[in-house]
Amino acid sequence: MNSAKQRGKKNASNNTAINTPNVASSFSQTKKLPQPTEGVREGQAWVDWGTDNLYPDWLNSLFYDSPYQSGIIRQKVFFVAGGGYNMEFGSPEAEQQFNAFVKGQPSDHGLNELIELNTTDGEIYNGLAIRGVYNRKGTLSFMEALDFDKIRTDAKETTYYYSDNWGSKKQDPDVTGFKEIKPYNPLSKDGEFLIYYKYPSKEYRAGKKKTDMGLYPKPYYSGGLKDISTDIEMSSYHFNEILNNF
């Protein structure tokens, strides 16, 4: 079998060139993985997360399509949040206030579920989002976990944006549930707010010059993205081989 190094070598018997497959070049034409770039398109207020503003959707596909990825993350979430929470209070009054808040909180999630949902988002995206609402008395009356992949921010993080579908060209409350949410401010107890947490990038923690605006987190498993993608593609390849009787 001729190797790539033998390309162009003449056959001594008939003095004709031997054309061998360009194996090296065929393997060099690799498909690039989606990148967590950050940029603002003309006429929009929020910063895109990824070139198509759908980078977290790709992370979702890795979670759902790779049994290894989903298994690891689900196990980590169980270890972190599966046992619920334990609270320590500095005084009986503080404990009473907390219990009254939990009991009277009108929410779609109990506190245990809130912790579990945020832990899941933390493992997938390295960030989490909590929406809260103050009542007219300035008391926190509602709290829920928002899907972190559905949140975008402006360049200065002065306004957050929610959408059920960032792939839609039209962002409208009736079409995609689009809305603006102000960030949490302990000095302002009015209306709704968003607690937006992202794990600081390696560059930020090391005090180095950031390679992007640092508005969106990078998953802690960034070094394994190619391997996770390979696992999914190989599974699809073998599945299609079976369906086509190969």
Side-chain angles (χ1 to χ4, degrees), residues 195-212:
I195 297 175
Y196 176 90
Y197 174 79
K198 59 181 182 297
Y199 190 72
S201 66
K202 182 178 180 181
E203 292 88 350
Y204 179 85
R205 287 183 282 116
K208 298 178 181 179
K209 183 178 179 180
K210 293 187 292 185
T211 56
D212 50 47

Side-chain angles (χ1 to χ4, degrees), residues 119-156:
T119 302
T120 303
D121 279 5
E123 291 297 330
I124 296 176
Y125 316 108
N126 233 356
L128 58 89
I130 300 175
R131 173 180 170 265
V133 179
Y134 288 110
N135 58 25
R136 294 181 179 179
K137 296 180 180 180
T139 303
L140 183 61
S141 61
F142 183 87
M143 191 164 60
E144 66 174 343
L146 285 187
D147 294 333
F148 191 80
D149 57 312
K150 296 180 180 179
I151 304 296
R152 300 294 185 271
T153 180
D154 63 7
K156 296 184 178 180

Side-chain angles (χ1 to χ4, degrees), residues 25-111:
S25 64
S26 65
F27 279 102
S28 66
Q29 297 175 2
T30 56
K31 181 180 179 181
K32 293 184 179 180
L33 299 178
Q35 298 299 311
T37 57
E38 299 174 3
V40 180
R41 283 179 277 185
E42 186 177 357
Q44 74 178 30
W46 58 88
V47 178
D48 284 350
W49 188 358
T51 53
D52 55 0
N53 199 24
L54 294 175
Y55 184 77
D57 289 41
W58 178 64
L59 297 181
N60 290 341
S61 71
L62 299 184
F63 175 75
Y64 289 112
D65 294 343
S66 170
Y68 299 106
Q69 170 73 344
S70 61
I72 290 171
I73 288 181
R74 292 184 194 278
Q75 280 292 96
K76 292 185 69 176
V77 171
F78 175 76
F79 291 145
V80 172
Y85 63 91
N86 293 314
M87 301 290 293
E88 295 184 3
F89 302 95
S91 67
E93 292 78 12
E95 184 175 2
Q96 290 176 2
Q97 290 177 359
F98 177 79
N99 290 335
F101 167 74
V102 173
K103 185 178 180 180
Q105 178 191 358
S107 174
D108 296 334
H109 313 298
L111 195 56

Side-chain angles (χ1 to χ4, degrees), residues 178-202:
F178 178 81
K179 66 177 178 178
E180 299 180 10
I181 309 176
K182 64 183 180 181
Y184 171 69
N185 181 357
L187 301 179
S188 175
K189 297 184 178 182
D190 177 51
E192 65 176 351
F193 63 87
L194 185 75
I195 297 175
Y196 176 90
Y197 174 79
K198 59 181 182 297
Y199 190 72
S201 66
K202 182 178 180 181

